[in-house]
Amino acid sequence: MVNSRRSNHWHLGRGQSPRGKQIWNFIRWQMMPGAIATGIICLAIQHGLFGPLEKLAYIGLFQLRGTTPWHDAIVVVEIDDASLEALGQFPIARHHYTHLLQELTPLEPAVVAFDILFVDSSDDDPLFAQAMLQQGRVILAEAWDLNGAKVSAVPTLKDVAVTTGHVLRDDDADGINRYVRATAARLPSLGLAAWHVYQFSNEVDRSLAPSVLSNERLWLNWPGPTSNVSAYSFIDVIENKLPPKVFQNKIVLV
């Protein structure tokens, strides 16, 4: 009897139809792994595990690739601690920006872009506007407040700027800023506006820059730490402590 039962069981397995085998193999090798993976993903989402993993993957990607040089056309003028100690707390008086442009203009920068919102009028605005006109290629920043109202520079300054650019940030949920909006309300980003002004007087690969009317996202290809950018203290510039060629034909971001 035992041998007979074994024989029947054996013949049942051996006698399974090819179609049945295909269905069983599909369930075993495709549906089950997918179901297990789906379960793991649901648990990971429920416990918030994907955010840190994605952040680590994003950072690791660029660490594996290694850093690349920042574009040598970019120079930063920082309102750093030394500048604030000498000039007063931020926002610093408007006449200091006038002084900055007066020092920069003879050094022949290609563009001067202010990542600063000059929203309040000042008695120094006429002199600052005159310095902007003398330099000829000054770009000012614009943004929007929490209610969606546009935040622009005072008319005295905005009217003499060569153009303006938005400074909106689109951080993802994990706090990483992976892209910049090429435009917002038909206004180019500050960096894109500076690049377009810069390319008018320089031989550059114009295919690298999208149209200023484009709504596409500009994904950030991080070249390396911001400490690798050529940067100089605001106070050192206005006190004329830098070599004269530092700013020549550069995009100066204040």
Side-chain angles (χ1 to χ4, degrees):
M1 291 295 293
V2 174
N3 291 338
S4 175
R5 289 179 180 176
R6 286 181 179 174
S7 176
N8 289 338
H9 178 74
W10 171 257
H11 286 296
L12 180 63
R14 297 283 291 182
Q16 190 177 26
S17 68
R19 180 62 177 170
K21 288 182 178 180
Q22 290 177 355
I23 294 174
W24 170 244
N25 287 335
F26 177 79
I27 294 173
R28 184 172 57 173
W29 299 114
Q30 295 192 39
M31 292 186 66
M32 288 181 63
I36 293 171
T38 301
I40 293 173
I41 290 172
C42 290
L43 287 173
I45 292 174
Q46 184 177 2
H47 291 86
L49 299 178
F50 269 125
L53 289 175
E54 184 183 17
K55 185 174 182 179
L56 287 173
Y58 185 78
I59 296 172
L61 173 67
F62 292 107
Q63 288 179 337
L64 288 172
R65 183 203 64 181
T67 59
T68 59
W70 287 77
H71 200 293
D72 58 7
I74 301 172
V75 177
V76 175
V77 173
E78 295 182 301
I79 304 177
D80 56 5
D81 291 340
S83 301
L84 293 175
E85 184 177 350
L87 306 176
Q89 293 301 307
F90 192 85
I92 60 176
R94 194 69 48 84
H95 69 269
H96 293 306
Y97 298 109
T98 303
H99 191 181
L100 177 73
L101 285 180
Q102 290 171 341
E103 293 294 333
L104 284 175
T105 298
L107 304 180
E108 301 179 329
V111 188
V112 180
F114 283 92
D115 188 10
I116 298 166
L117 294 168
F118 297 110
V119 295
D120 298 318
S121 59
S122 165
D123 293 339
D124 298 322
D125 286 346
L127 287 178
F128 187 29
Q130 183 179 347
M132 290 172 60
L133 280 172
Q134 185 175 0
Q135 202 288 322
R137 292 178 300 279
V138 174
I139 302 175
L140 298 181
E142 295 192 82
W144 288 263
D145 64 19
L146 295 177
N147 297 318
K150 197 170 187 179
V151 180
S152 300
V154 293
T156 303
L157 304 179
K158 184 176 178 179
D159 290 346
V160 297
V162 66
T163 189
T164 59
H166 77 76
V167 289
L168 296 180
R169 285 179 59 94
D170 290 293
D171 291 349
D172 289 334
D174 58 9
I176 295 179
N177 186 214
R178 293 176 170 85
Y179 68 88
V180 175
R181 277 187 256 179
T183 62
R186 299 179 67 84
L187 185 70
S189 69
L190 185 69
L192 186 57
W195 177 259
H196 277 276
V197 174
Y198 175 79
Q199 72 178 3
F200 283 124
S201 56
N202 291 273
E203 290 296 327
V204 298
D205 185 356
R206 286 171 169 76
S207 66
L208 295 176
S211 166
V212 292
L213 299 181
S214 170
N215 290 318
E216 66 182 292
R217 293 177 175 183
L218 303 181
W219 292 96
L220 301 178
N221 181 24
W222 294 107
T226 54
S227 58
N228 293 346
V229 184
S230 296
Y232 303 94
S233 174
F234 190 104
I235 189 65
D236 287 343
V237 179
I238 64 175
E239 291 182 354
N240 197 19
K241 293 181 178 180
L242 301 174
K245 299 295 184 181
V246 165
F247 301 105
Q248 188 173 29
N249 203 36
K250 303 291 186 180
I251 298 172
V252 179
L253 176 64
V254 183

